[in-house]
Amino acid sequence: MKAKKYDTESKLSQDELAEIKADMSREKEGSFVDLIWRYAKKYWVRSVVILVAITIAAISVAITPVITQELMKVAGNIIDPPVGPGQPPLPPGDLSSTTTGTWGMTWKQLVGLAIGAAVVDAVFVFISQYLAAMLGKQIEIDLRNEAVEKLIEEDMSYYSNKKIGDILTKVVSDTQIVGDQVAIVPVTFLNAVMTLIISLIMMFVVEWRLTLITIAVFAIVALGMGLSFAPLRKLNMKLRRTVTSLNGDVIDRINTIKLIKANGTERYEEERFNQLHKKFYDQAYDFNLAQALLITFLFVGINSVQVVVTIAAGLIYQNNTKELAVLVPTFIVSVQILIGPIMSLVRVMVGVLQASTSSRRMHAILTAPVLFNNRYRSQDGIDIKSLYGNIIFKDVEFAYPEKPHQIVFPKFNFTFEQGKSYAFVGETGSGKSTVSKLLLRFYDPTRGEILINNNINLKDVNLSSYLDHVGYVEQEPAIILGTVYDNIRYAKRDATDAQIIAASKKAKLHDLVMSWPDGYNTILGERGFMLSGGQKQRLVIARIFLKDPQLLILDEATSALDNIVEKEIQEQLDELMVGRTSITIAHRLSTIKNSNLILVLAPGKGVVEKGTFNELKNRPGLFQNLYEAGKTE
Ligand SMILES: Nc1ncnc2c1ncn2[C@@H]1O[C@H](COP(=O)(O)OP(=O)(O)OP(=O)(O)O)[C@@H](O)[C@H]1O
């Protein structure tokens, strides 16, 4: 009942079900085994060394029962020395140092051999574990780098329907799970399988009937493990989704902390979060219960082998007690050696359960389709050394890929002449900001083309080289975690401190920065908490002065500021605009009085009026309505 109150549980379950179904249907894609194979090929030298180390370690473990059997034979010969027919009894005395078994080795030599095998095992286990752990970390780093690269290259529409927390969980936590398991699973699996095979071969040599009985019991256990894999994986997937959703929720709430503080909803959030955790607890309960039941079944199954083997040996060798006395201990040692690898296989199964969910989620990120080629890397993109000539919108039509049926701009032809100032106005949702998104190539036109330098299609340029000449000021300026220097330098990575200070002076930011104890080395918060709206805007303007772009896009740059600050900032923006092509997206008409041309947009209709401020103000129409409404504000 409580879940309904917070409207989280029912909705999340629906989403989860859909996602789990999608995950199950992509079962073959991006599986953990594919991932291991991909990286084993990439790091093949290390992989081969690990494989060899595992093999040697497995052989040295598996020969232990054979050595034990030989030791038992030698012990038997010491206690009851064999005497050939018609030979005199052996003279009295200690025979233990000279008596040998089938291999011609004394018990001391055999003990030495067993110790040697244990040492070799220890050395090669260490080598394989160490190398595999380091390889796991390397793969984790590779995966994370690949994911971040991919996420940065993704087009904007990728982010419109995703929670940042989800992405973060995948990039940080799923890569870590994959990295950890990639180090553990193959090594443990190979080690266990090799030990199993070699031990079984040795056991066959010792007593094939008892070995077959042992295999039969283990086969039943393995069948149980195999059958439980799919349901366990499903439970694990649910659990991961809930963890992701929880992370997403925390990040979302931290991001909107001001909203919580302003509404006094701290208790509500606490309760809501408890409720979300209850769901997590329930799912963790289901998963852990299933896992504990499975492990109990395995323990019982594996331990029953010793009893079964002892009874079977008693029945087979009821008439040969000496052979029985040698065989049973040897076999129990063998069975005990087998228990280790089998328990390891259980751990492998749990590891694969977790890693297969995570690797598929990573695969989904790494293979997500990118809508367009931004030519950041490719050499074929046209390098833009300078922006010259006009910017032409030729038959541009646009609908967001997320909402392909909602046309924001019907066919639109327009030429932005070099060095002139333009402004877009219109009611909310008319598509003003969309113009800037097209010019920044966040999106490509659905139809038509945007031409720069007179006739170069924006799609064909190396985007990075084009953006070097574009300055963008938005309503909510982006401040990165770092010093004032770092923040301003973001616009021009090779700028000197002196250039940054000069730009800061032009933006009237310098005096403020110098009033702080650490000056330009002051760390600005992740989201610029230390700065007021006007100060943030000045910092962005300093960036633009530093960048000295040829095209300036001002997207409601001053609409969040009060009139006095707006006037000051506007003066700096006006100074910036001199000699550059500028496109201003404005709510307040006072900021665009001096524009060479104003374009008025209407929702779904595109440009409906054009003219200078004075022309439009005096002409009946949308602009005049906006102007009149503005006067009465
Ligand atoms: N990422 C997106 N995916 C789908 N539709 C979008 C997206 N961004 C904006 N839209 C839609 O496109 C239309 C134009 O949006 P845009 O932000 O360009 O309007 P605007 O004129 O700048 O509005 P405002 O003055 O309120 O900022 C709106 O109907 C909006 O809902």
Side-chain angles (χ1 to χ4, degrees), residues 400 402-403 406 428-434 437 443 556 587:
Y400 279 94
E402 301 91 316
K403 286 192 209 156
Q406 186 199 333
T428 184
S430 57
K432 302 182 293 291
S433 296
T434 306
K437 290 179 195 166
Y443 297 90
E556 301 184 7
H587 263 150

Side-chain angles (χ1 to χ4, degrees), residues 530-551:
M530 283 183 56
L531 302 176
S532 72
Q535 290 162 349
K536 279 193 230 173
Q537 234 18 322
R538 287 214 173 103
L539 193 135
V540 174
I541 289 168
R543 267 187 204 149
I544 308 290
F545 271 120
L546 180 71
K547 192 170 191 178
D548 194 18
Q550 289 162 299
L551 170 64

Side-chain angles (χ1 to χ4, degrees), residues 160-318:
S160 44
N161 63 350
K162 291 190 180 54
K163 282 194 271 178
I164 297 301
D166 285 9
I167 296 175
L168 203 70
T169 309
K170 287 174 187 167
V171 172
V172 177
S173 152
D174 281 328
T175 49
Q176 193 182 351
I177 290 175
V178 169
D180 286 348
Q181 294 306 331
V182 102
I184 297 167
V185 166
V187 173
T188 315
F189 178 77
L190 287 174
N191 212 335
V193 168
M194 283 194 193
T195 316
L196 267 178
I197 293 173
I198 298 168
S199 301
L200 284 171
I201 293 171
M202 302 285 183
M203 283 163 70
F204 259 109
V205 174
V206 175
E207 222 302 341
W208 64 271
R209 286 164 294 189
L210 292 182
T211 310
L212 282 182
I213 291 167
T214 309
I215 290 175
V217 178
F218 284 147
I220 295 168
V221 173
L223 189 69
M225 274 169 67
L227 290 178
S228 60
F229 187 83
L232 266 177
R233 192 181 60 186
K234 209 170 170 180
L235 289 175
N236 183 255
M237 266 187 201
K238 273 191 178 179
L239 200 57
R240 284 299 299 160
R241 304 242 158 261
T242 306
V243 171
T244 308
S245 171
L246 273 172
N247 287 352
D249 202 80
V250 173
I251 289 168
D252 181 63
R253 287 321 196 251
I254 299 291
N255 270 332
T256 49
I257 191 77
K258 280 186 190 161
L259 182 74
I260 296 172
K261 294 281 171 204
N263 285 285
T265 47
E266 286 90 343
R267 293 287 84 74
Y268 166 81
E269 287 298 336
E270 252 174 52
E271 263 187 70
R272 204 183 58 86
F273 206 59
N274 281 341
Q275 195 62 37
L276 286 174
H277 259 117
K278 190 181 165 306
K279 180 180 173 177
F280 170 69
Y281 182 85
D282 290 345
Q283 289 180 346
Y285 175 85
D286 292 346
F287 178 72
N288 289 333
L289 180 70
Q291 191 172 276
L293 281 173
L294 179 69
I295 290 173
T296 310
F297 165 73
L298 290 174
F299 264 109
V300 173
I302 290 165
N303 288 330
S304 70
V305 172
Q306 302 187 22
V307 181
V308 173
V309 162
T310 312
I311 294 169
L315 290 173
I316 295 169
Y317 291 97
Q318 49 188 311

